[in-house]
């Protein structure tokens, strides 16, 4: 039997980078686009470059980016400081394994501890992995309080990731149903203090996880009074409170951590998205009490906190905690929200405006998918958060003029 290593191609399997005419005759065969698993519904075309707050496709069309890689590209594209940090990190060690110590990860953990409520940090590779880690740490902490105390509660509208435990803590039937059974011991409760008072049984519940601003769930800023009541209730019942700040943390709401808006502190907090400037990284911040229950061997991950990615994250945390950056987000974010409300009045095409800082959702007439696709054709990138909400996540460096430009493009589409 002969096996051909040539990729098969049909005319419909268009490729953007045909290396058959390459200057490198021995180069690997051109990639066949359709070889990628079909788990994403992607917009047409290919992005080839970025410039400030713009993405540029392979035909040279520029798109004003109000998605930022879903809250990842906080500094936009081509930031000179980030680029320099990447170049200098590339001259150093890339990976050594967590069998050995390296300085950048230790420095990053120290920076996060210095700037937050936490006293220890676990570094990993993604948001879902950070939340799965937090669930394990909560269970480890609770184990000393009896085997029955192991449940994790999440809130209506929550999104915590796509792995088995994080999916069980995610309130999207269409994401969950095809993969049941999900991890046991996780449940969803209404965003209602009376319902929580019933559900939070101190004998069985180890932790409650919430997003201070629910991102995928429609950009819902949780009410400050509600969050404070949740904090009081969980503390009273010896239940850990985990804040998932994977989307809303690290400056996006105008404070380094979203919990700062509420005047309370969680017991654990998860981060990811912008933390390493577009490289994959997640982090779990925790109190000393939780950290003290974790022993060598309890948890691990091959790539977590490697020297290359941690060097970049050190740079990013420094940039994102700069008070000038946070003031810029707070002031322009408040202005942006006001403009969105005026847009709603003017057009009559928006049913609700929600958000804070550089994280906004508008409920539109018709479907969000339709507005997202029309905006794309008009050169503005937006994304949806549920069926009717269009989500706007500009790069945190976007100026007021750039925000205004996006608003104008949105108005045309609406
Ligand atoms: C609030 C929140 N938690 C968790 C996740 C999962 O992160 P990741 O996609 O890096 O696994 C996301 C991703 O969108 C998120 O927005």
């Amino acid at each position: 039997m002969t096996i051909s290593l040539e990729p098969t191609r049909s005319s419909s399997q268009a490729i953007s980078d045909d290396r058959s005419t390459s200057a490198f005759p021995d180069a690997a065969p051109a990639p066949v686009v359709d070889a990628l698993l079909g788990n994403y519904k992607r917009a047409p075309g290919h992005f080839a470059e970025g410039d400030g707050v713009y993405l540029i496709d392979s035909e040279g069309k520029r798109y004003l980016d109000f998605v930022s890689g879903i809250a990842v590209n906080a500094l936009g594209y081509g930031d000179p400081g980030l680029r320099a940090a990447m170049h200098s990190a590339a001259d150093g060690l890339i990976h050594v394994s967590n069998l050995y110590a390296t300085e950048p990860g230790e420095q990053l953990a120290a920076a996060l501890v210095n700037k937050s409520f936490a006293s220890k940090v676990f570094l990993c590779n993604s948001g879902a992995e950070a939340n799965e880690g937090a669930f394990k740490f909560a269970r480890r902490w609770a184990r000393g309080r009896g085997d029955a105390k192991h449940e994790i509660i999440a809130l209506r509208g929550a999104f915590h990731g796509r792995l088995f435990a994080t999916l069980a803590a995610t309130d999207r039937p269409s994401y969950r149903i095809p993969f049941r059974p999900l991890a046991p011991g996780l449940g969803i409760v209404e965003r209602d203090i009376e319902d929580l008072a019933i559900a939070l049984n101190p004998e069985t519940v180890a932790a409650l996880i919430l997003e201070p601003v629910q991102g995928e769930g429609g950009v819902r800023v949780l009410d400050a009074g509600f969050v404070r009541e949740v904090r009081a209730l969980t503390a009273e019942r010896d239940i850990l409170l985990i804040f998932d700040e994977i989307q809303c943390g690290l400056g996006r709401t105008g404070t380094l951590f979203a919990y700062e808006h509420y005047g309370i502190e969680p017991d654990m907090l998860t981060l990811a998205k912008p933390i390493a400037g577009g490289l994959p990284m997640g982090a779990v911040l925790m109190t000393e009490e939780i950290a003290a229950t974790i022993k060598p061997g309890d948890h691990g991950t091959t790539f977590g906190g490697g020297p290359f990615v941690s060097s970049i994250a050190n740079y990013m945390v420094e940039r994102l905690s700069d008070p000038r950056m946070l003031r810029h987000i707070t002031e322009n974010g408040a202005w942006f929200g006001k403009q969105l409300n005026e847009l709603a009045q003017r057009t009559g095409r928006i049913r609700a405006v929600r958000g804070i800082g550089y994280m906004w959702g508008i409920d539109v007439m018709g479907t969000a998918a339709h507005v997202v696709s029309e905006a794309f054709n008009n050169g503005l990138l937006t994304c949806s958060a549920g069926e009717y909400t269009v989500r706007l996540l500009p790069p945190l460096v976007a100026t007021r003029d750039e925000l205004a430009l996006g608003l104008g493009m949105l108005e045309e589409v609406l």
Side-chain angles (χ1 to χ4, degrees), residues 70 126-129 131 159-161 211 216 244 246-247 272-273:
I70 319 190
S126 72
E129 196 192 345
N131 284 337
F159 181 91
H160 297 297
E211 298 155 82
E216 303 289 319
D244 174 343
I246 285 162
Q247 190 165 146
K273 294 208 183 261

Side-chain angles (χ1 to χ4, degrees), residues 71-95:
V72 170
N73 301 323
L75 304 182
Y77 303 94
D79 180 85
L82 177 57
R83 187 171 281 169
M86 295 230 180
H87 282 290
S88 104
D91 288 336
L93 281 171
I94 305 297
H95 172 81

